[in-house]
Amino acid sequence: MAFRDRYTGLINRYRDHLPVSDDTRIISLGEGNTPLIRLKNIPKLLGKDVDIYVKYEGLNPTGSFKDRGMTMAVTKAVEEGSNAIICASTGNTSAAAAAYAARAGITAFVLIPEGKIAMGKLAQAMMYGAVTIQIRGNFDEGMELVKQVALQAPVTIVNSVNPYRLQGQKTAAFEIVEELGRAPDYHCLPVGNAGNITAHWIGYCEYSAQKGTRVTESCAFCDGNCRYAGGPIVGNRPVMIGYQAAGSAPFVRGEAVKNPETVATAIRIGNPQSWDRAWKVKEESGGWFDELSDEEILAAQKLLAQREGIFCEPASAASIGGAMRDIKTGRIPEGSTIVCTLTGNGLKDPDTAIKQCGDSRMMTIDANISSVKDAILGNM
Ligand code: AN7
């Protein structure tokens, strides 16, 4: 590959589709361009004729899909002269905000629920040098505080209420369409604030809109930042399915959840910020929301690791766990092509992984050859 073709992140890759100009200083860590992996063993286990792909977003620079949105949000914050960004987070947004702020040379303030974010994410926020503010409260309370303080202090919010976040995140849909040659029939995602499911829908709509169509009116999703506004659609678009954790499932309940609780701390969110947009995505795409118990989420995480060699964090496993259930029941019919987004890397949450592997094939032995031989022969 020639040097000029070196991959330099999603803004450079998709700059024609993003709100940047030639003069914009781009803050990038080479995010995007993540693998779309075709599952080999799980479809066989299901005994169904389906094509399942996982989009492994855990391979982004800070280990989650948040990097796609954060490269845009921080690029625009810097362009607009901001010296500080702020977010509330269940962990991954704070990791990404901290990293991109470090890259840009600005300050990141992150509000996280004390004791309720995975250890890897906490390590990231601290290591990248964010001002890490633990609150005695949950994500939803942190989000309200961030909105209030941003009115009173010169800080730019980089939660997904910042429209540039969704613009960056829509590029995941572009990559999928380019790789498959068309959009999948179904796209499954874990849902917390519902920014990502909205961003994917923006991406699919924009990509399937008639080539050469430049729409001037803004669409319902993107505050005038995208090129799609309900123009003629020529390509196919997927049915969008959002899965939540049962203890934290406002879209299944039809209303905000007061004290959300789940092992999948990334999606421990009771008052989603993209509430109206997500309902519109469901309606326009003909999709649905559903919930999984913590046990189902952890079982799916383990199955994906042990049958396919892919380690995602618990929240991410809601997508594949939900898809497997809907394939089994036939709600997702045979013959379908399905993409599940694996939003975050399994290494983010080592504690939960180790805890649920109590029955694993780990042992401790004396350091001699006969013990090693016994260990091997006993496990063949
Ligand atoms: C791994 O980091 O909200 O529905 O503050 O980390 O777009 O909110 C994380 C969300 C799914 C849900 N999977 O995405 C945060 C935060 C993982 C996540 C979601 C999150 P949205």
Side-chain angles (χ1 to χ4, degrees):
M1 196 196 283
F3 180 72
R4 68 173 186 282
D5 294 333
R6 195 172 72 88
Y7 184 82
T8 54
L10 61 85
I11 296 181
N12 276 333
R13 172 74 185 78
Y14 292 110
R15 52 165 60 240
D16 294 348
H17 296 265
L18 293 167
V20 290
S21 75
D22 290 346
D23 300 331
T24 307
R25 174 186 158 213
I26 290 168
I27 312 297
S28 170
L29 292 164
E31 59 295 311
N33 198 24
T34 54
L36 186 67
I37 306 168
R38 187 166 182 230
L39 298 190
K40 296 278 183 202
N41 300 317
I42 287 178
K44 273 188 215 144
L45 276 181
L46 294 171
K48 296 277 191 179
D49 172 27
V50 284
D51 233 349
I52 310 176
Y53 295 84
V54 292
K55 182 73 167 158
Y56 195 12
E57 292 287 275
L59 292 191
N60 275 298
T62 77
S64 87
F65 73 96
K66 302 287 183 183
D67 295 340
R68 290 184 188 273
M70 206 55 73
T71 185
M72 266 312 306
V74 175
T75 290
K76 294 304 281 188
V78 168
E79 183 171 66
E80 288 159 11
S82 181
N83 291 312
I85 58 174
I86 189 167
C87 66
S89 181
T90 58
N92 280 325
T93 299
S94 57
Y100 284 82
R103 180 79 166 173
I106 63 175
T107 304
F109 297 96
V110 305
L111 267 73
I112 53 174
E114 184 193 24
K116 292 291 185 179
I117 85 166
M119 221 28 109
K121 304 174 188 179
L122 181 62
Q124 287 179 295
M126 295 170 75
M127 191 69 185
Y128 291 129
V131 180
T132 306
I133 305 166
Q134 304 200 71
I135 59 164
R136 295 183 199 94
N138 62 25
F139 168 85
D140 303 302
E141 293 167 299
M143 191 67 238
E144 286 315 308
L145 291 167
V146 162
K147 285 183 181 171
Q148 285 173 31
V149 84
L151 296 174
Q152 299 167 30
V155 290
T156 304
I157 300 183
V158 293
N159 282 101
S160 55
V161 296
N162 177 326
Y164 300 125
R165 279 278 309 278
L166 302 193
Q167 287 300 299
Q169 286 170 215
K170 76 183 179 185
T171 60
F174 294 173
E175 291 175 15
I176 291 164
V177 176
E178 284 171 0
E179 205 148 327
L180 295 178
R182 63 192 284 278
D185 301 310
Y186 293 85
H187 191 128
C188 306
L189 295 117
V191 168
N193 277 306
N196 210 25
I197 196 168
T198 303
H200 277 77
W201 186 241
I202 295 172
Y204 284 123
C205 291
E206 199 171 321
Y207 217 87
S208 63
Q210 196 166 18
K211 289 258 178 326
T213 311
R214 288 292 292 271
V215 197
T216 49
E217 253 173 273
S218 70
C219 79
F221 299 111
C222 60
D223 307 326
N225 284 295
C226 83
R227 305 268 160 86
Y228 164 75
I233 297 292
V234 292
N236 70 311
R237 296 181 297 182
V239 172
M240 303 296 293
I241 313 174
Y243 296 108
Q244 302 211 278
S248 180
F251 286 106
V252 181
R253 306 282 163 267
E255 60 184 13
V257 170
K258 196 102 204 163
N259 292 304
E261 216 36 273
T262 169
V263 69
T265 52
I267 50 173
R268 189 172 167 272
I269 295 166
N271 186 20
Q273 297 301 305
S274 288
W275 181 255
D276 294 339
R277 289 166 164 167
W279 287 109
K280 199 142 199 287
V281 171
K282 169 191 170 317
E283 190 187 309
E284 283 191 10
S285 77
W288 60 86
F289 297 111
D290 207 344
E291 62 188 314
L292 287 84
S293 68
D294 280 1
E295 292 70 31
E296 286 176 291
I297 287 172
L298 294 178
Q301 183 194 20
K302 205 170 185 180
L303 190 76
L304 190 65
Q306 302 197 343
R307 298 296 183 133
E308 301 282 359
I310 302 167
F311 188 19
C312 67
E313 67 170 281
S316 310
S319 64
I320 185 72
M324 287 184 343
R325 189 211 281 152
D326 283 335
I327 290 165
K328 270 190 228 161
T329 63
R331 195 167 190 191
I332 296 177
E334 291 203 68
S336 299
T337 297
I338 303 135
V339 172
C340 295
T341 300
L342 301 180
T343 45
N345 197 299
L347 294 171
K348 292 272 192 175
D349 191 353
D351 305 74
T352 304
I354 291 169
K355 225 180 277 165
Q356 71 154 319
C357 291
D359 61 339
S360 78
R361 302 198 278 184
M362 186 169 89
M363 65 198 77
T364 305
I365 59 164
D366 291 330
N368 62 55
I369 190 68
S370 70
S371 300
V372 176
K373 268 164 70 183
D374 288 349
I376 290 171
L377 294 173
N379 284 285
M380 290 288 266

